Every structure is written in C-alpha cells, then in structure tokens.
Coordinates of all heavy atoms in Angstrom, one line a residue:
M953 N -8.9 20.5 -14.8 CA -10.2 20.1 -15.3 C -11.2 20.6 -14.3 O -11.1 20.3 -13.1 CB -10.3 18.6 -15.5 CG -11.7 18.2 -15.8 SD -12.0 16.4 -15.8 CE -10.8 15.9 -17.0
P954 N -12.2 21.4 -14.7 CA -13.2 21.9 -13.7 C -14.1 20.7 -13.2 O -14.4 19.8 -13.9 CB -14.1 22.8 -14.5 CG -13.9 22.5 -16.0 CD -12.5 21.8 -16.0
K955 N -14.5 20.8 -12.0 CA -15.3 19.8 -11.4 C -16.8 20.0 -11.8 O -17.2 21.1 -11.8 CB -15.3 19.9 -9.9 CG -16.0 18.8 -9.2 CD -15.8 18.7 -7.7 CE -16.6 17.6 -7.2 NZ -16.3 17.3 -5.8
R956 N -17.4 19.0 -12.3 CA -18.8 19.1 -12.7 C -19.7 18.7 -11.6 O -19.4 18.0 -10.7 CB -19.0 18.1 -13.9 CG -17.9 18.2 -15.0 CD -18.5 18.3 -16.3 NE -17.6 18.2 -17.4 CZ -16.9 19.2 -17.9 NH1 -17.1 20.4 -17.4 NH2 -16.1 19.0 -18.9
N957 N -20.9 19.4 -11.7 CA -21.9 19.1 -10.7 C -22.9 18.1 -11.2 O -24.0 18.5 -11.7 CB -22.6 20.4 -10.3 CG -21.7 21.3 -9.5 OD1 -20.9 20.9 -8.7 ND2 -21.8 22.6 -9.7
H958 N -22.6 16.9 -11.2 CA -23.4 15.8 -11.7 C -24.4 15.4 -10.6 O -24.0 15.4 -9.4 CB -22.6 14.6 -12.1 CG -21.7 14.9 -13.3 ND1 -22.2 15.3 -14.5 CD2 -20.4 14.8 -13.5 CE1 -21.3 15.5 -15.4 NE2 -20.1 15.2 -14.8
P959 N -25.5 14.9 -11.0 CA -26.4 14.3 -10.0 C -25.8 13.1 -9.3 O -24.9 12.5 -9.8 CB -27.7 13.8 -10.8 CG -27.4 14.2 -12.2 CD -26.0 14.8 -12.3
S960 N -26.3 12.8 -8.1 CA -25.7 11.7 -7.3 C -25.7 10.3 -8.0 O -24.9 9.5 -7.7 CB -26.4 11.6 -6.0 OG -27.8 11.3 -6.1
D961 N -26.7 10.1 -8.9 CA -26.8 8.9 -9.6 C -26.1 8.9 -11.0 O -26.4 8.0 -11.8 CB -28.2 8.4 -9.7 CG -29.1 9.4 -10.6 OD1 -28.6 10.5 -10.8 OD2 -30.1 9.0 -11.0
Y962 N -25.3 9.8 -11.3 CA -24.6 10.0 -12.6 C -23.8 8.7 -12.9 O -23.9 8.2 -14.0 CB -23.7 11.2 -12.6 CG -23.2 11.6 -13.9 CD1 -24.0 12.3 -14.8 CD2 -21.9 11.3 -14.3 CE1 -23.5 12.6 -16.1 CE2 -21.4 11.6 -15.6 CZ -22.2 12.3 -16.4 OH -21.8 12.7 -17.7
E963 N -23.0 8.3 -12.0 CA -22.2 7.1 -12.3 C -23.0 5.9 -12.6 O -22.8 5.1 -13.5 CB -21.2 6.8 -11.1 CG -20.2 5.7 -11.4 CD -19.2 6.1 -12.4 OE1 -18.9 7.2 -12.6 OE2 -18.6 5.1 -13.0
K964 N -24.1 5.7 -11.8 CA -25.1 4.6 -12.0 C -25.7 4.7 -13.4 O -25.8 3.7 -14.1 CB -26.2 4.7 -11.0 CG -27.2 3.6 -11.1 CD -28.3 3.7 -10.0 CE -29.5 3.0 -10.4 NZ -30.7 3.8 -10.5
C965 N -26.0 5.9 -13.9 CA -26.6 6.0 -15.2 C -25.6 5.7 -16.3 O -25.9 5.1 -17.3 CB -27.1 7.5 -15.4 SG -28.6 7.8 -14.4
L966 N -24.3 6.1 -16.1 CA -23.3 5.8 -17.0 C -23.1 4.3 -17.1 O -23.0 3.7 -18.2 CB -21.9 6.4 -16.6 CG -21.7 7.9 -16.9 CD1 -20.5 8.4 -16.2 CD2 -21.7 8.1 -18.3
L967 N -23.1 3.6 -16.0 CA -22.9 2.2 -16.0 C -24.1 1.5 -16.7 O -23.9 0.5 -17.4 CB -22.7 1.6 -14.6 CG -21.4 2.1 -13.9 CD1 -21.4 1.6 -12.5 CD2 -20.2 1.6 -14.7
E968 N -25.3 2.0 -16.5 CA -26.5 1.4 -17.1 C -26.4 1.5 -18.7 O -26.7 0.6 -19.4 CB -27.8 2.1 -16.6 CG -28.2 1.7 -15.3 CD -29.3 2.5 -14.7 OE1 -29.8 3.4 -15.5 OE2 -29.8 2.3 -13.6
A969 N -25.9 2.7 -19.1 CA -25.8 2.9 -20.6 C -24.7 2.0 -21.1 O -24.9 1.4 -22.2 CB -25.4 4.4 -20.8
L970 N -23.6 1.8 -20.4 CA -22.6 0.9 -20.9 C -23.0 -0.5 -20.9 O -22.7 -1.3 -21.8 CB -21.3 1.0 -20.0 CG -20.5 2.3 -20.1 CD1 -19.5 2.5 -19.0 CD2 -19.9 2.4 -21.5
E971 N -23.8 -0.9 -19.9 CA -24.4 -2.3 -19.8 C -25.3 -2.5 -21.0 O -25.3 -3.6 -21.6 CB -25.1 -2.5 -18.5 CG -25.6 -3.9 -18.3 CD -24.4 -4.9 -18.1 OE1 -23.4 -4.5 -17.6 OE2 -24.7 -6.1 -18.4
N972 N -26.1 -1.5 -21.3 CA -27.0 -1.6 -22.5 C -26.2 -1.8 -23.8 O -26.6 -2.6 -24.6 CB -27.9 -0.4 -22.6 CG -29.0 -0.4 -21.6 OD1 -29.3 -1.4 -20.9 ND2 -29.6 0.8 -21.4
L973 N -25.1 -1.1 -23.9 CA -24.3 -1.2 -25.1 C -23.6 -2.6 -25.1 O -23.4 -3.2 -26.2 CB -23.2 -0.1 -25.1 CG -23.7 1.3 -25.4 CD1 -22.6 2.3 -25.1 CD2 -24.2 1.4 -26.9
K974 N -23.2 -3.1 -24.0 CA -22.6 -4.4 -23.9 C -23.6 -5.5 -24.3 O -23.2 -6.5 -25.0 CB -22.0 -4.7 -22.5 CG -21.3 -5.9 -22.3 CD -20.8 -6.0 -20.9 CE -20.1 -7.4 -20.6 NZ -19.7 -7.5 -19.2
N975 N -24.8 -5.4 -23.8 CA -25.8 -6.4 -24.1 C -26.3 -6.4 -25.5 O -26.8 -7.4 -26.0 CB -27.0 -6.3 -23.1 CG -26.6 -6.6 -21.7 OD1 -25.7 -7.3 -21.5 ND2 -27.4 -6.0 -20.8
D976 N -26.3 -5.2 -26.2 CA -26.7 -5.1 -27.5 C -25.7 -4.4 -28.4 O -25.7 -3.1 -28.4 CB -28.1 -4.4 -27.6 CG -28.7 -4.3 -29.0 OD1 -28.1 -4.8 -29.9 OD2 -29.7 -3.6 -29.1
P977 N -24.8 -5.1 -29.0 CA -23.7 -4.4 -29.8 C -24.2 -3.6 -30.9 O -23.5 -2.7 -31.4 CB -22.8 -5.6 -30.3 CG -23.2 -6.8 -29.5 CD -24.6 -6.5 -29.0
T978 N -25.4 -3.8 -31.4 CA -25.9 -3.0 -32.5 C -26.6 -1.7 -32.0 O -26.9 -0.8 -32.8 CB -27.0 -3.8 -33.3 OG1 -28.1 -4.1 -32.4 CG2 -26.4 -5.0 -33.9
L979 N -26.7 -1.5 -30.7 CA -27.3 -0.3 -30.2 C -26.4 0.9 -30.3 O -25.2 0.8 -30.1 CB -27.6 -0.5 -28.7 CG -28.3 0.6 -27.9 CD1 -29.7 0.7 -28.4 CD2 -28.3 0.3 -26.4
L980 N -26.9 2.0 -30.8 CA -26.2 3.2 -31.0 C -26.0 3.9 -29.6 O -26.8 3.8 -28.7 CB -26.9 4.2 -31.9 CG -27.2 3.8 -33.3 CD1 -28.0 4.8 -34.0 CD2 -25.9 3.6 -34.0
I981 N -24.8 4.5 -29.5 CA -24.5 5.2 -28.2 C -25.5 6.2 -27.9 O -25.9 6.4 -26.7 CB -23.1 5.8 -28.2 CG1 -22.0 4.6 -28.3 CG2 -22.8 6.6 -27.0 CD1 -20.6 5.1 -28.4
T982 N -26.0 7.0 -28.9 CA -27.0 8.0 -28.6 C -28.3 7.4 -28.1 O -29.0 8.0 -27.2 CB -27.3 8.8 -29.9 OG1 -27.7 7.9 -30.9 CG2 -26.2 9.6 -30.3
K983 N -28.6 6.2 -28.5 CA -29.8 5.5 -28.0 C -29.6 5.0 -26.6 O -30.5 5.0 -25.7 CB -30.2 4.3 -28.9 CG -30.6 4.7 -30.3 CD -32.0 5.3 -30.2 CE -32.4 5.6 -31.7 NZ -33.7 6.2 -31.8
A984 N -28.4 4.5 -26.3 CA -28.0 4.0 -25.0 C -28.1 5.1 -23.9 O -28.5 5.0 -22.8 CB -26.7 3.3 -25.0
V985 N -27.6 6.3 -24.4 CA -27.6 7.5 -23.5 C -29.0 7.9 -23.2 O -29.4 8.2 -22.1 CB -26.7 8.6 -24.0 CG1 -26.9 9.9 -23.3 CG2 -25.3 8.2 -24.0
G986 N -29.8 8.0 -24.3 CA -31.2 8.3 -24.3 C -31.6 9.4 -23.3 O -31.1 10.5 -23.4
H987 N -32.4 9.2 -22.4 CA -33.0 10.1 -21.4 C -32.1 10.2 -20.1 O -32.5 10.9 -19.2 CB -34.4 9.8 -21.1 CG -34.5 8.5 -20.3 ND1 -34.5 7.3 -21.0 CD2 -34.6 8.2 -19.0 CE1 -34.6 6.3 -20.0 NE2 -34.7 6.9 -18.9
R988 N -31.0 9.6 -20.1 CA -30.3 9.5 -18.8 C -29.5 10.7 -18.4 O -29.0 10.8 -17.3 CB -29.3 8.3 -18.9 CG -29.9 7.0 -19.0 CD -28.9 5.9 -18.9 NE -29.5 4.6 -18.7 CZ -29.8 3.8 -19.7 NH1 -29.5 4.2 -21.0 NH2 -30.4 2.7 -19.5
R989 N -29.4 11.7 -19.2 CA -28.7 12.9 -18.9 C -27.2 12.7 -18.5 O -26.7 13.2 -17.5 CB -29.4 13.7 -17.7 CG -30.7 14.3 -18.1 CD -31.2 15.1 -17.0 NE -32.5 15.7 -17.3 CZ -33.1 16.6 -16.6 NH1 -32.6 17.0 -15.5 NH2 -34.3 17.1 -17.0
V990 N -26.6 11.9 -19.3 CA -25.2 11.6 -19.1 C -24.5 12.1 -20.4 O -25.1 12.1 -21.5 CB -24.8 10.1 -18.8 CG1 -25.4 9.8 -17.5 CG2 -25.3 9.2 -19.9
S991 N -23.2 12.3 -20.3 CA -22.5 12.8 -21.5 C -22.2 11.7 -22.5 O -21.7 10.6 -22.2 CB -21.1 13.3 -21.0 OG -20.3 13.6 -22.1
L992 N -22.6 12.0 -23.7 CA -22.4 11.1 -24.8 C -20.9 10.7 -25.0 O -20.5 9.6 -25.1 CB -22.9 11.7 -26.1 CG -22.8 10.8 -27.3 CD1 -24.0 9.9 -27.5 CD2 -22.6 11.7 -28.6
T993 N -20.0 11.8 -24.9 CA -18.6 11.5 -25.0 C -18.0 10.7 -23.9 O -17.1 9.9 -24.1 CB -17.8 12.9 -25.1 OG1 -18.1 13.7 -24.0 CG2 -18.2 13.6 -26.4
T994 N -18.5 10.9 -22.7 CA -18.1 10.1 -21.6 C -18.4 8.6 -21.8 O -17.6 7.7 -21.6 CB -18.7 10.5 -20.2 OG1 -18.3 11.9 -20.1 CG2 -18.2 9.7 -19.1
V995 N -19.6 8.3 -22.2 CA -20.0 6.9 -22.5 C -19.2 6.4 -23.6 O -18.7 5.2 -23.5 CB -21.6 6.9 -22.8 CG1 -21.9 5.5 -23.2 CG2 -22.4 7.3 -21.6
R996 N -19.0 7.1 -24.7 CA -18.2 6.7 -25.8 C -16.8 6.4 -25.4 O -16.2 5.3 -25.7 CB -18.2 7.7 -26.9 CG -17.5 7.3 -28.1 CD -17.1 8.4 -29.1 NE -16.2 9.3 -28.4 CZ -16.3 10.6 -28.5 NH1 -17.2 11.2 -29.3 NH2 -15.4 11.4 -27.9
D997 N -16.2 7.3 -24.6 CA -14.8 7.0 -24.2 C -14.6 5.8 -23.3 O -13.7 5.0 -23.4 CB -14.2 8.3 -23.4 CG -14.0 9.4 -24.4 OD1 -14.0 9.2 -25.6 OD2 -13.8 10.6 -23.9
R998 N -15.6 5.7 -22.3 CA -15.5 4.5 -21.5 C -15.7 3.2 -22.3 O -15.1 2.2 -22.0 CB -16.5 4.6 -20.3 CG -16.1 5.6 -19.3 CD -16.9 5.4 -18.1 NE -16.7 6.5 -17.2 CZ -17.2 6.6 -16.0 NH1 -18.0 5.6 -15.6 NH2 -17.0 7.6 -15.2
K999 N -16.6 3.2 -23.3 CA -16.8 2.0 -24.1 C -15.6 1.7 -24.9 O -15.1 0.6 -25.0 CB -18.1 2.3 -24.9 CG -18.3 1.1 -25.9 CD -19.5 1.4 -26.8 CE -19.8 0.3 -27.8 NZ -18.7 0.1 -28.8
N1000 N -15.1 2.7 -25.6 CA -14.1 2.5 -26.6 C -12.7 2.4 -26.0 O -11.8 1.7 -26.5 CB -14.1 3.6 -27.7 CG -15.4 3.5 -28.5 OD1 -16.0 2.5 -28.6 ND2 -15.8 4.6 -29.1
K1001 N -12.4 3.2 -25.0 CA -11.0 3.3 -24.5 C -10.9 2.6 -23.1 O -9.8 2.6 -22.6 CB -10.6 4.8 -24.4 CG -10.6 5.5 -25.7 CD -10.3 7.0 -25.5 CE -10.5 7.8 -26.8 NZ -10.4 9.2 -26.5
G1002 N -12.0 2.2 -22.6 CA -11.9 1.6 -21.2 C -11.6 2.6 -20.2 O -11.0 2.3 -19.1
V1003 N -11.9 3.9 -20.4 CA -11.6 4.9 -19.4 C -12.5 4.7 -18.2 O -13.6 4.4 -18.3 CB -11.9 6.3 -20.0 CG1 -11.7 7.4 -19.0 CG2 -11.0 6.5 -21.3
Q1004 N -11.9 4.9 -17.0 CA -12.6 4.8 -15.8 C -13.0 6.1 -15.2 O -12.6 7.2 -15.7 CB -11.7 4.1 -14.7 CG -11.2 2.7 -15.1 CD -10.3 2.2 -14.1 OE1 -9.8 2.9 -13.3 NE2 -10.1 0.9 -14.1
N1005 N -13.9 6.1 -14.2 CA -14.2 7.4 -13.6 C -13.0 7.9 -12.8 O -12.0 7.2 -12.6 CB -15.4 7.2 -12.6 CG -15.1 6.4 -11.4 OD1 -14.1 6.4 -10.8 ND2 -16.1 5.7 -11.0
L1006 N -13.0 9.2 -12.5 CA -11.8 9.8 -12.0 C -11.3 9.2 -10.7 O -10.1 9.0 -10.5 CB -12.0 11.3 -11.7 CG -12.2 12.1 -13.0 CD1 -12.5 13.6 -12.6 CD2 -10.9 12.1 -13.8
R1007 N -12.2 8.8 -9.8 CA -11.8 8.2 -8.5 C -11.2 6.9 -8.7 O -10.1 6.6 -8.1 CB -13.1 8.1 -7.6 CG -12.7 7.7 -6.2 CD -13.9 8.0 -5.3 NE -13.6 7.7 -3.9 CZ -13.0 8.6 -3.1 NH1 -12.8 9.8 -3.5 NH2 -12.8 8.3 -1.8
A1008 N -11.8 6.0 -9.5 CA -11.2 4.7 -9.8 C -9.9 4.8 -10.6 O -9.0 4.0 -10.4 CB -12.2 3.8 -10.5
G1009 N -9.9 5.7 -11.5 CA -8.7 5.9 -12.4 C -7.5 6.3 -11.7 O -6.4 6.0 -12.1
H1010 N -7.6 7.0 -10.5 CA -6.4 7.4 -9.8 C -6.2 6.7 -8.4 O -5.4 7.2 -7.6 CB -6.5 9.0 -9.6 CG -6.4 9.7 -10.8 ND1 -5.2 10.0 -11.4 CD2 -7.3 10.2 -11.6 CE1 -5.4 10.7 -12.5 NE2 -6.7 10.8 -12.7
Q1011 N -6.9 5.6 -8.3 CA -6.9 4.9 -7.0 C -5.4 4.4 -6.7 O -5.0 4.5 -5.5 CB -7.8 3.7 -7.0 CG -7.9 3.0 -5.7 CD -8.5 3.8 -4.6 OE1 -9.5 4.5 -4.8 NE2 -7.9 3.8 -3.5
H1012 N -4.7 4.1 -7.7 CA -3.3 3.6 -7.5 C -2.4 4.7 -7.0 O -1.3 4.4 -6.4 CB -2.8 3.0 -8.8 CG -2.5 4.0 -9.9 ND1 -3.6 4.5 -10.6 CD2 -1.4 4.7 -10.3 CE1 -3.1 5.4 -11.5 NE2 -1.8 5.5 -11.3
E1013 N -2.8 6.0 -7.1 CA -2.0 7.1 -6.7 C -2.3 7.5 -5.2 O -1.6 8.3 -4.6 CB -2.2 8.3 -7.6 CG -1.7 8.0 -9.0 CD -2.1 9.2 -9.9 OE1 -2.9 10.0 -9.5 OE2 -1.6 9.2 -11.0
C1014 N -3.4 6.9 -4.7 CA -3.8 7.3 -3.3 C -3.0 6.6 -2.3 O -2.6 5.4 -2.4 CB -5.3 7.0 -3.1 SG -6.3 8.0 -4.2
F1015 N -2.7 7.3 -1.2 CA -1.9 6.7 -0.1 C -2.8 5.7 0.7 O -2.3 4.6 1.1 CB -1.4 7.8 0.8 CG -0.5 7.3 1.9 CD1 0.8 6.8 1.5 CD2 -0.9 7.2 3.2 CE1 1.7 6.4 2.5 CE2 0.0 6.7 4.2 CZ 1.3 6.3 3.8
F1016 N -4.1 6.0 0.9 CA -5.0 5.2 1.6 C -6.0 4.6 0.7 O -6.4 5.2 -0.3 CB -5.7 5.9 2.7 CG -4.8 6.5 3.8 CD1 -4.7 7.8 4.0 CD2 -4.2 5.6 4.7 CE1 -3.8 8.3 5.0 CE2 -3.4 6.1 5.7 CZ -3.2 7.4 5.8
S1017 N -6.5 3.4 1.0 CA -7.6 2.8 0.3 C -8.9 3.5 0.8 O -8.9 4.1 1.8 CB -7.7 1.3 0.6 OG -8.2 1.1 1.9
P1018 N -10.0 3.4 0.0 CA -11.2 4.0 0.4 C -11.7 3.5 1.8 O -12.2 4.3 2.6 CB -12.2 3.6 -0.6 CG -11.4 3.4 -1.9 CD -10.1 2.8 -1.4
V1019 N -11.5 2.3 2.1 CA -11.9 1.7 3.4 C -11.0 2.4 4.5 O -11.6 2.8 5.6 CB -11.7 0.2 3.5 CG1 -12.0 -0.3 4.8 CG2 -12.7 -0.4 2.5
Q1020 N -9.7 2.5 4.3 CA -8.9 3.1 5.3 C -9.2 4.6 5.5 O -9.2 5.1 6.6 CB -7.4 3.0 4.9 CG -6.9 1.6 4.9 CD -5.5 1.5 4.3 OE1 -5.2 2.1 3.3 NE2 -4.6 0.6 4.9
E1021 N -9.5 5.3 4.4 CA -9.8 6.7 4.4 C -11.1 6.9 5.2 O -11.2 7.8 6.1 CB -10.0 7.2 3.0 CG -10.1 8.7 2.9 CD -10.1 9.1 1.4 OE1 -9.2 8.7 0.7 OE2 -11.0 9.9 1.1
N1022 N -12.1 6.1 5.0 CA -13.4 6.2 5.7 C -13.2 5.9 7.2 O -13.8 6.5 8.1 CB -14.5 5.2 5.1 CG -14.9 5.7 3.8 OD1 -14.9 6.9 3.5 ND2 -15.4 4.8 3.0
T1023 N -12.3 4.9 7.5 CA -12.0 4.6 8.9 C -11.4 5.8 9.6 O -11.7 6.2 10.7 CB -11.1 3.4 9.0 OG1 -11.8 2.3 8.4 CG2 -10.8 3.0 10.5
L1024 N -10.5 6.5 8.9 CA -9.8 7.6 9.5 C -10.8 8.8 9.7 O -10.7 9.5 10.7 CB -8.6 8.1 8.6 CG -7.4 7.2 8.6 CD1 -6.4 7.6 7.6 CD2 -6.7 7.3 10.0
V1025 N -11.6 9.0 8.8 CA -12.6 10.0 8.8 C -13.6 9.8 10.0 O -13.9 10.8 10.8 CB -13.4 10.2 7.5 CG1 -14.6 11.1 7.7 CG2 -12.5 10.7 6.4
S1026 N -14.0 8.6 10.2 CA -14.9 8.3 11.3 C -14.2 8.2 12.6 O -14.6 8.6 13.6 CB -15.8 7.1 11.0 OG -15.0 6.0 10.9

C-alpha cells in the first residue's frame, strides 16, 4: 500500500467526523466528512467495520510500545 501524504491533523479530522456520526445517527457520511478533506471511504470503513488507523491497527505486532520506542530514540 502506498504511503499517503496526509496533513498532520488528518487523524484528528477523521475522529471529528466519526464523532459527528456517533452523535447524530441520521447524519450522512458525506455531510460528516464535509470540508474536512478526509477520505469518505476511510470514514465509512472506520464507522462500519471498526477499522483502526494503521499505527494502532498493527500495535500488537510491534516489539516495543510507543513509549519504549520514544525512550530508545531519545
């Protein structure tokens, strides 16, 4: 899968769209995505399938936790 060049707040925007959908079940996904510049299919998949972001989705496969990794880096 090619790596996408998303803005630094992409994940935040995705979570906001999902929160809007959670708070208003009648809200259409296209309206929740609105002006946020996030992928409609990504929001739909996370809402319907519970898909996580790539980093969180593969956390169980990592040898170090994010805290341990940051400690080693610094």
Side-chain angles (χ1 to χ4, degrees):
M953 175 187 304
K955 185 173 180 170
R956 309 227 190 274
N957 292 323
H958 293 302
S960 60
D961 64 341
Y962 190 79
E963 187 67 25
K964 179 180 160 240
C965 292
L966 281 172
L967 294 175
E968 287 173 0
L970 289 169
E971 186 67 27
N972 288 346
L973 289 168
K974 183 179 177 183
N975 292 337
D976 184 3
T978 62
L979 184 65
L980 297 174
I981 293 176
T982 53
K983 297 283 185 183
V985 169
H987 65 280
R988 289 190 173 91
R989 291 187 179 188
V990 294
S991 170
L992 179 90
T993 55
T994 302
V995 173
R996 184 195 64 218
D997 288 348
R998 288 200 189 178
K999 177 185 179 290
N1000 295 335
K1001 301 176 188 174
V1003 177
Q1004 299 176 344
N1005 68 37
L1006 291 176
R1007 188 164 185 89
H1010 292 279
Q1011 186 63 44
H1012 67 281
E1013 297 172 346
C1014 295
F1015 187 71
F1016 295 114
S1017 72
V1019 173
Q1020 291 170 323
E1021 191 172 309
N1022 289 336
T1023 302
L1024 286 172
V1025 169
S1026 59

